[in-house]
Every structure is written in C-alpha cells, then in structure tokens.
C-alpha cells in the first residue's frame, strides 16, 4: 500500500496510524524523519543495528526529553536530546559512538514541528560526530496537540582509560565549572507563554564531547566529571560529595552567572545554583592540575568562561558549603525537585 | 534533604517533583524502582554504565512502549518493554547483554501501579537473563492519570556469526512461524473497558532469546528472523519480501490461530494476520533445514505450536500471497496502520 508524500503542507498533522507500524509509519520515516536526519531513505530499516566498538567494553546511557516548549531561545528538544545523551557519555569519559532515537509523538502534532525537531537532531548529531543508528516511532492519543517526547540512548567508548565517575573526588582536589550557570533553565522558563522576559537569554544546550576530549588530553587524571543538568550545580556537587564521601566548599564570588540570569532568578525566587545547564560540566581534578584543566577548557569555545569555584574538603562528608560574598557560610542542599521546572 | 519512605500507601501518587532530578527523584528510585528491579539501593547511580562485550561489535536497538491498559491478560507494560527489546535483539541473532530503562510517568499515576510495572520489568529481565544497567525517570503533567511510557534500549552480542536480517530470504526457502498468531493484540483489545470479551485470551508476550538460541544451535544458517509485532504476520512477511526482493506464499490452512482469537477477530472485523504478537517469531530457512528448525522450535515451551506456513518464491517481488482454504489466492498487503490498535 502506498500513500502520497506527506509533510509538504504545513497544516498536516500526525495521525494515530503514523505509529501503527504499518505503511503509514514507513511513510513518515521515509518522507520526514530519515531525510531530516540526513539519511536518503535507501537504508535498511531493521529493528536493530550492529555497531563496531574500539574495545570490548561500551558505555551506555539513556535519557528521555520532555521539555516544553519544544523550541526555546538557543535550542529545542532535538538539540537537547542529542546533547544531553552525548554529554552523559562524555561525563563518563566516553567518546560517543552511536545514538538510538525513540519518538513518542502525540496525535495532532504538526508534521512540520516534527520535521524541524528531527532536523535539529540531525544537525546536532553531525556537530557531535555521532550517528543515529536505530530508532522507533510511537503515536499516543491526542492530549494538547503539542506533544513530542524523545528518548535517546547512547553508546560510547572509554577515552584513554578515563575514570571520571562522581565517586573519585579526594580532599584537596580543585572544583571547576566550564562556564556560566543557569542559562538553560532560565531560557526555557523565559520562553514559556506570557512571561515576557528578556530575549537575550539563551540556552547553553550543546554537545560537550569535543571540549571534554581536549580536557582529558591535557589532564588525563581528571577525577570527576558531572553535568549540572536537572537540579543544577547544587545537585551535581551534592552527588560528587555524597558519592566520594567528602565535602565540597565553593565560593559565591567565584561562580560565573550572567547578570540577566541572576536577574530572572531574583525575579522568580530561584537560586541559580539549582537551575539546569545543558552545555556545562563540573570538573574535579588534583589541585596541581587545576591550571592546566582551566586552560584546556578555556581553549574551547564552549569553555571560555571556565572558572575554579572551590575545592573538595574532608568534611562534613556528603555536604556542600558555600562561602558567601558577605563572609558567611551556608549549606547548599540538593534540590528536592519541588521547585524545579520541567526543563529537560 | 530526606523524605519519609514513599510508596507504602496504595493511595500515594506520582508528583511532578518525582521527575525533577533532585531528592524526590532519588527517593523514588531507592524506595520503589530499584528494589522492584532487584537492586538493593547500594548501587552507584551514575548517568551511564560501562558494559563488557564479548566482541568488538554490539547490536543495539530501541523501542518505546505505550500500551493501554498497562496490565492485560497474560502481561503488562513492564513485561512487554523487556520482551520487545530482547526480541528485537534476538531477531538480529544477538544474545541480550544489557537494557536501559527510560520512564516517562504522568503526574498522578499511583505509585503502586508503577511499582507493579517495575516488578514485572525485574522479573522479565531475570527470565531473559539480561540486566538493566542504566535508566532515567521523567514526570510529565497530568493527563488521564494512568500514564506510563517505557523506553528500553538493548545491547546484544552476535551469536555464533548469525546473520538473520530480513533481506536474506531466497526463493525456495521455507517460512515458519513459532506459534499461534494474534494472541497479544486480541488479549490487549479484549482487556479494554466495556468489551466484555472472553477471559481465556492471553497475550503471548515473552522474551524469546532462549528459544531463538536453540534454533540457531540447530540451524546456524537461519536466513531471516522477524517478530510479527505491530502489523502482525502480514507486516513481517511484507518486510521480508520487500527487503529480499522476493515473493512469499503462505497457506491459510497452515496458519496456527486459536479458535478464540479467530472468533474475536471475526467479531471485530480484524484479520488475525494483521494483529500483533509479542512472543512469536517468523523464521525463514533453507527448505532442507525446515524440519530441523521446526523440531528445535517445538522443543522449547514457547515454540510448541510452531508450524511451516509457506515458502519464499521468485515473485512477484516484494509481495505476499495467501493460498486460501477455498483454493483461491489473495494478496496480503502490509497494514497501513489505519486499523491497528495501540497494542505495544
């Protein structure tokens, strides 16, 4: 059974039958999804793909992306779905090898919206140097008509013996961050209807493997990498402190936060430490390596604003403390999730 | 920050903050999800895991599961999410190595429902001999309150050089199916409210690697494996015919279909050939291997009703024909998706 080519008219929308696994699903793949990803439609559409790996070990990760709105200043759900998963691999010191792409689409979504999201997936995958090797498309019944959820799973290969898990921090280590904090979460929140906030806010969403590779080349002994996504820097540092059985102390005056981001956070009663980033990494390394690590980060366009923000201390174990501008000190708790907007 | 243990009361429900990535997300993991999967909560919760592979090649697949209702006769979304992805690997001749688990949960879902689905994931993974190595949890805003979508990606390793892609069929080959057709789709449809159909219908949902391994041991040269899931046998055979540039001819009187399934299909105007299966495989092998393949399938509990149903023919290429009981012949088209219920 064949159908006319779809997606040529902006008013066309996703039907439940596009997820049925039959001819209409194939048509959606061949007319919209595969071309947007850079495939020419001649590819074998099997239910699994074989991927060559450099060693007999592979890093694997998965993440589902449910961000609203689907398009926001500086990015969109497609760029986020590739970057987030590439970055989860990078945080384990793994070079990205391949991604899977699982789409759950709501009946009624404009096909043009799907196409633009898929084009962003394709562009970002090329930027990150990673291939989409297999995928799946499901359609769920209509809710609000703007629904698109993307799951990406990622495969990666360990880069030069890197061991960058969150449990490796030791007292005396330096704590760095690769750039300004809070940009992604604030950009997404500002894009929500009726907020009318500054359009100068842009998400930092980006694949970080290229920057991380440069860092690992300069400092092979990096102890921990963690991307401060949901829960922001506060969650990332608490994870490191908890997993390492150590404390972390950071200095408020060392934290890179854009004025616009600080302004929006003040307005909304948010702490920039709790707001998500999608193009930044926390780095823990030996104090003696800190300058080299900072230089490597700053040498990359995405790491220009890298900063040393504190150090790992003996205790209290599992806790993060902030030295305030006023000379005091306060605990930085991991956010509970209560006050975190749905930004990834 | 800590919270009281959750999920002890049947009336507790998922909150948006359970997906925020902060303390409440960790609590949900430690109190509900990890124990249900068979973990004791002491595991390192990093964003990616390293998996050892037998060779420098890995099979990778992904599938999202959106079945409604979440629990149906013979199975549930958790069993489906493990079985479907293990089977996608098995169809490529790959032994399952590891699964990822991506949850998208609707605000308001009863935590007890989530727990039961996760326990089913854990049980089915043990049955399939595969580990859940990493996962992700997101919560979306309330819709109907029964919402749970599961994505599983799977890693596998090629078994003894198997090459079982859909494009390998050759004229003269035998076409087998490992058991009765239509059980899953009919069981799910019958479980939908107000239909009041027979409770003797049960889904066949099951992980098939154990049976497929037995088949590959007996007949290493199996040409194609394809699970007749969405779109049923009709879609699977059309995929094989199209990818192989050959025709397929099957005999109506050889198709194993339970009387109850045939009855429900008659009632609903469905063709059992189009209805989904989740515990069956189509096998194409050389005619000389057919008896050995059938014996290997029938030796496994899930393959008792295996049958030879037809053969690969020269043409018309890409088309599937059915020899009817009445001595006629008709084309079996791939379903378009128009009339396919959302059963996976």
């Amino acid at each position: 059974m064949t159908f006319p080519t779809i997606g040529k008219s902006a008013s066309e929308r996703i039907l439940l039958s596009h997820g049925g696994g039959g001819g209409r699903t194939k048509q959606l793949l061949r007319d919209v999804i595969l071309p947007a990803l850079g495939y020419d439609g001649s590819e074998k559409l099997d239910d699994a793909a074989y991927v060559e790996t450099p060693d007999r070990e592979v890093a694997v990760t998965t993440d589902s992306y449910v961000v609203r709105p689907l398009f926001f200043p500086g990015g969109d759900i497609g760029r986020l779905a590739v970057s987030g998963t590439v970055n989860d691999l990078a945080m384990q010191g793994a070079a990205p090898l391949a991604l899977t792409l699982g789409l759950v689409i709501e009946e009624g979504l404009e096909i043009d919206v799907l196409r633009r999201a898929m084009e962003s997936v394709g562009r970002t995958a090329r930027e990150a140097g990673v291939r989409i090797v297999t995928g799946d498309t499901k359609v769920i019944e209509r809710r609000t008509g703007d629904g698109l959820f993307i799951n990406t799973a990622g495969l990666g290969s360990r880069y030069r013996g890197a061991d960058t898990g969150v449990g490796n921090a030791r007292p005396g280590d330096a704590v760095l961050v690769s750039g300004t904090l809070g940009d992604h979460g604030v950009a997404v929140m500002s894009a929500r209807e009726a907020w009318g906030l500054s359009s100068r806010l842009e998400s930092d969403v980006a694949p970080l493997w290229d920057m991380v590779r440069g860092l690992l080349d300069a400092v092979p002994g990096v102890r921990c990498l963690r991307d401060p996504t949901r829960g922001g820097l506060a969650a990332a540092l608490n994870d490191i402190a908890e997993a390492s059985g150590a404390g972390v102390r950071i200095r408020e005056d060392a934290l890179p936060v854009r004025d616009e981001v600080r302004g929006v956070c003040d307005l909304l009663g948010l702490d920039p430490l709790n707001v998500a980033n999608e193009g930044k990494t926390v780095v823990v390394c030996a104090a003696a390596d800190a300058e080299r690590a900072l230089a490597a980060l700053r040498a990359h366009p995405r790491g220009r604003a890298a900063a040393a923000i504190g150090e790992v201390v003996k205790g209290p174990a599992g806790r993060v403390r902030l030295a305030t501008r006023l000379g005091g000190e306060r605990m930085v708790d991991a956010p509970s999730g209560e006050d975190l907007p749905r930004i990834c």
Side-chain angles (χ1 to χ4, degrees), chain A residues 28-325:
Chain A
L28 185 70
L29 278 167
R30 294 195 196 269
D31 290 352
V32 178
I33 297 174
L34 292 175
L37 297 178
Y39 290 102
D40 67 8
S42 69
E43 294 76 16
K44 195 177 64 149
L45 288 178
D46 240 330
D47 285 336
Y50 278 97
V51 174
E52 303 288 328
T53 61
D55 350 271
R56 286 166 59 168
E57 177 195 54
V58 65
V60 54
T61 187
T62 186
D63 224 327
S64 302
Y65 300 87
V66 301
V67 67
R68 293 294 175 276
L70 298 175
F71 299 83
F72 47 82
D76 59 79
I77 190 170
R79 182 166 178 81
L80 188 58
V82 172
S83 301
T85 293
V86 164
N87 294 349
D88 279 347
L89 293 170
M91 296 302 107
Q92 300 299 319
L97 287 174
L99 295 185
T100 67
L101 182 69
L103 305 176
V104 175
I105 313 172
E106 240 182 83
E107 184 189 10
L109 183 74
E110 284 179 28
I111 285 176
D112 194 54
V113 169
L114 177 66
R115 186 201 319 275
R116 287 191 293 132
M118 292 301 102
E119 284 169 351
S120 182
V121 166
R123 258 193 317 272
T124 313
R126 284 191 292 280
E127 178 183 339
V130 68
R131 278 195 323 134
I132 312 288
V133 295
T134 188
D136 174 61
T137 305
K138 292 287 179 354
V139 178
I140 57 172
E141 278 158 26
R142 177 187 290 266
R143 186 171 58 153
T144 56
D146 71 343
L148 173 62
F149 309 126
I150 301 182
N151 176 284
T152 47
L155 298 190
S157 62
R158 197 188 290 274
Y159 187 67
R160 300 177 66 177
D163 177 13
T164 57
V166 285
N168 299 335
R170 305 176 200 171
D173 285 351
V175 178
L176 321 177
V177 66
S178 67
T180 55
L181 298 169
D183 302 75
H184 175 71
V186 162
V188 170
M189 286 185 272
S190 77
R192 293 197 174 149
E193 49 183 343
W195 283 34
L197 295 170
S198 161
S199 62
R200 293 175 55 203
L201 297 163
E202 285 216 337
S203 167
D204 58 345
V205 56
L208 294 178
W209 170 243
D210 196 51
M211 182 183 76
V212 168
R213 183 176 46 201
L215 170 68
L216 292 171
D217 285 342
V219 182
V222 164
R223 304 249 216 255
C224 317
L225 295 171
R226 185 70 152 191
D227 49 348
T229 55
R230 288 189 294 182
L233 184 71
L237 294 180
N238 272 279
D239 284 345
I240 290 169
E242 192 179 327
S244 299
V248 169
R249 209 174 53 168
I250 56 175
R251 295 181 308 278
E252 188 173 26
D253 62 9
L255 297 175
V257 180
R258 285 181 211 279
D259 289 342
E260 302 93 313
V261 169
R262 200 180 294 282
V264 172
C265 284
D266 284 351
L267 201 66
L268 302 175
L270 291 172
D271 185 339
L273 295 185
N274 293 349
V275 176
N277 309 273
E278 291 290 349
K280 301 290 155 48
T281 180
V282 174
V283 179
V284 177
C285 63
D289 290 333
E291 279 310 315
R292 215 151 9 104
L294 270 180
L297 291 170
R298 288 174 180 158
H300 193 277
R302 304 211 179 278
R304 292 269 159 76
I309 60 169
E311 61 271 324
V312 179
V313 293
K314 279 195 181 151
R319 303 305 298 267
V320 179
R321 286 176 298 162
L322 175 80
T324 68
R325 282 173 209 278

